[in-house]
């Protein structure tokens, strides 16, 4: 039940900010009591509904009495990490090439500089920071 409360708490926090930003998008910085009450009611109805669903799920779910056996060994896990890393790098190289093409051809349909900065940032994190973190684990 502790896990259910953690899930409900995280949902409540995220959904609170969603409702807050939705209220500001609808009304701006002006105070509208009717809209505020509607947003608060929607927040509490969604929170109660989500809580009921999560609590029912955890009440119906049978606890596992058997100790878990490892499904994969270290070699398979290492191969999985290598494959996932390769696919991540490949996808970001494709993103980088696409953003570079959009910048070179001067197609400003979307802010291509931001895509280019994002791709460079993701590649930096994946190639420099990620190995350092994995070595520490």
């Amino acid at each position: 039940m502790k896990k259910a409360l953690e899930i409900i708490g995280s949902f409540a926090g995220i959904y609170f900010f969603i409702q807050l930003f939705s209220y500001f998008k609808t009304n701006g910085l002006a105070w509208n009591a009717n809209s505020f009450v509607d947003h608060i009611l929607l927040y509490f109805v969604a929170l109660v509904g989500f809580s009921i669903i999560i609590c029912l799920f955890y009440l119906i779910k049978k606890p596992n009495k058997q100790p878990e056996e490892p499904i994969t060994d270290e070699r398979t896990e290492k191969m999985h990490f290598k494959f996932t890393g390769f696919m991540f790098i490949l996808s970001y190289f494709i993103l980088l090439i696409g953003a570079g093409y959009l910048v070179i051809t001067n197609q400003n349909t979307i802010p291509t500089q931001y895509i280019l900065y994002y791709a460079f940032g993701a590649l930096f994190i994946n190639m420099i920071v990620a190995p350092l973190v994995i070595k520490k684990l």
Side-chain angles (χ1 to χ4, degrees):
M1 209 55 165
K2 182 180 178 183
K3 181 132 176 119
L5 290 176
E6 290 176 2
I7 292 172
I8 292 169
S10 61
F11 173 78
I14 293 169
Y15 196 65
F16 173 77
F17 284 108
I18 289 172
Q19 284 299 323
L20 183 69
F21 292 134
S22 174
Y23 174 78
F24 285 139
K25 181 181 178 191
T26 306
N27 300 312
L29 294 176
W31 172 255
N32 186 351
N34 291 333
S35 179
F36 181 75
V37 170
D38 290 342
H39 280 85
I40 291 294
L41 286 175
L42 181 61
Y43 173 75
F44 283 119
V45 167
L47 185 62
V48 168
F50 185 76
S51 301
I52 290 171
I53 291 170
I54 292 296
C55 288
L56 284 176
F57 175 74
Y58 275 102
L59 287 174
I60 293 172
K61 183 180 161 185
K62 294 180 180 178
N64 192 6
K65 300 291 182 183
Q66 299 175 347
E68 292 186 19
E69 296 180 13
I71 297 172
T72 60
D73 61 348
E74 291 178 9
R75 291 178 292 140
T76 310
E77 188 175 337
K78 193 173 188 181
M79 287 174 27
H80 171 72
F81 283 139
K82 283 183 180 179
F83 178 73
T84 306
F86 175 74
M87 292 307 289
F88 187 75
I89 292 255
L90 182 65
S91 68
Y92 278 105
F93 273 130
I94 291 170
L95 175 70
L96 188 64
I97 290 169
Y101 174 75
L102 289 174
V103 168
I104 290 172
T105 58
N106 201 16
Q107 296 177 4
N108 292 327
T109 55
I110 52 176
T112 52
Q113 290 84 11
Y114 297 130
I115 295 173
L116 200 60
Y117 300 151
Y118 175 74
F120 275 121
L123 282 172
F124 173 76
I125 289 171
N126 194 32
M127 297 175 86
I128 305 299
V129 177
L132 298 173
V133 171
I134 290 172
K135 286 179 184 177
K136 295 288 181 181
L137 295 176

